[in-house]
Amino acid sequence: MDAAEELSHQLWVLRELLEQLVFKLEVQSMLLSAGRVRWLPFIAAEVDAVIDAICQLENDRSAASERVARQLGVPGGTGLTELAARLPEPWGSLLRQHRIHLLSLQGEVEETAQANHELARRGVIRTREILAVLGEESIDLYTPSGNTSSATLASRRLDRTV
């Protein structure tokens, strides 16, 4: 397989993985919006699996880019835009199309992930408010490493009508 063809193949696979990531993030968004927290660990695991696959593919894509750069006689680490400009057709056009699509997908991923973060943050605030009304003084939360941590509820409500 030619170096440009291999790079194009790696970019196709990356596009497919980013499409899957957008899908998984949108499912996560629907679950958060619907308050279906029971399923969040499952979708979080699926999101992590796609991100891991993207990270693994990135090594292959980087190696393919290096081979194309070597073939063209340009320094390693040359960006996709410059590689596309130096490659003969149809590879130049194809790499430019990949770049545009990848940038679009990157924007979708960032936007959806940020919206999901905000939905999750609001969910935590609502949960704390409900627990405060029920008289709970602290709740157990999970840390990013998966351990539990006790969080003291900062606000209390006082019903002065009693």
Side-chain angles (χ1 to χ4, degrees), residues 37-48:
V37 296
R38 171 184 177 190
W39 305 114
L40 289 178
F42 295 103
I43 192 64
E46 290 181 11
V47 167
D48 287 344

Side-chain angles (χ1 to χ4, degrees), residues 6-120:
E6 182 183 351
L7 176 57
S8 179
H9 173 74
Q10 298 298 332
L11 293 171
W12 272 115
V13 175
L14 182 58
R15 285 170 64 167
E16 290 171 354
L17 286 171
L18 286 171
E19 290 279 357
Q20 286 180 27
L21 183 58
V22 169
F23 170 74
K24 304 279 185 199
L25 289 171
E26 287 183 4
V27 169
Q28 186 180 52
S29 177
M30 287 185 255
L31 290 170
L32 286 165
S33 295
R36 303 296 299 214
V37 296
R38 171 184 177 190
W39 305 114
L40 289 178
F42 295 103
I43 192 64
E46 290 181 11
V47 167
D48 287 344
V50 174
I51 290 171
D52 288 345
I54 289 170
C55 291
Q56 290 174 355
L57 177 68
E58 182 55 26
N59 293 330
D60 295 339
R61 194 237 20 106
S62 179
S65 290
E66 293 293 321
R67 282 190 287 283
V68 170
R70 249 192 333 270
Q71 195 176 55
L72 294 172
V74 296
T78 299
L80 190 56
T81 302
E82 183 158 344
L83 292 178
R86 292 175 175 264
L87 280 169
E89 293 304 325
W91 301 115
S93 297
L94 192 54
L95 293 187
R96 282 188 289 279
Q97 290 172 6
H98 281 308
R99 183 181 175 279
I100 290 167
H101 198 77
L102 289 168
L103 288 172
S104 173
L105 287 168
Q106 177 187 357
E108 283 185 72
V109 166
E110 289 173 0
E111 182 180 313
T112 308
Q114 181 61 35
N116 288 356
H117 177 76
E118 183 59 27
L119 283 170

